[in-house]
Amino acid sequence: MPAAATKPKPNRSTARRPVPMDLPYAPTAKRPLPPGRPRDWYITHNRRLKAMRLAIALLDSGVYVPNQAHNETIRSTAERVGIRPPSDTTCHMVRALMRYSR
């Protein structure tokens, strides 16, 4: 019998691990945004990135339904992960992203 056949397979579980919410948010490496776009494009782009970070943090903390994600919940999650409090528009965008995450 070949040696490879007797080796145990590594555990490649797809189960989610709990994410500690008490640690500050650690941003990924930033790249410069493309020059020459209108100012509104940059504002919308940064708003989408913030909404995505917040939606992921909410999903990791156990808030899976947009109806559970009230503005206060989203803002407290932002404070917990070290992001500035989002506007009402960004909170609306977070709920929209959560609707499509199902």
Side-chain angles (χ1 to χ4, degrees):
M1 187 180 242
T6 60
K7 270 188 179 175
K9 292 185 179 180
N11 184 7
R12 297 186 192 247
S13 173
T14 58
R16 288 191 168 178
R17 290 175 284 168
V19 177
M21 296 301 292
D22 56 347
L23 299 176
Y25 173 72
T28 58
K30 293 186 178 184
R31 296 183 313 202
L33 293 175
R37 306 257 180 160
R39 181 170 171 75
D40 288 342
W41 184 90
Y42 296 105
I43 292 170
T44 305
H45 175 77
N46 289 330
R47 188 183 306 267
R48 286 180 183 151
L49 290 178
K50 186 176 195 175
M52 182 71 71
R53 285 188 210 108
L54 288 169
I56 291 168
L58 284 166
L59 290 169
D60 287 343
S61 68
V63 179
Y64 300 111
V65 184
N67 297 341
Q68 295 174 336
H70 303 290
N71 288 357
E72 299 83 28
T73 308
I74 296 171
R75 289 188 177 114
S76 66
T77 303
E79 183 180 335
R80 207 174 322 137
V81 295
I83 301 175
R84 288 177 55 106
S87 65
D88 290 342
T89 305
T90 305
C91 290
H92 180 76
M93 194 177 287
V94 169
R95 285 188 289 276
L97 286 169
M98 290 177 72
R99 250 180 238 110
Y100 291 109
S101 70
R102 291 189 192 186

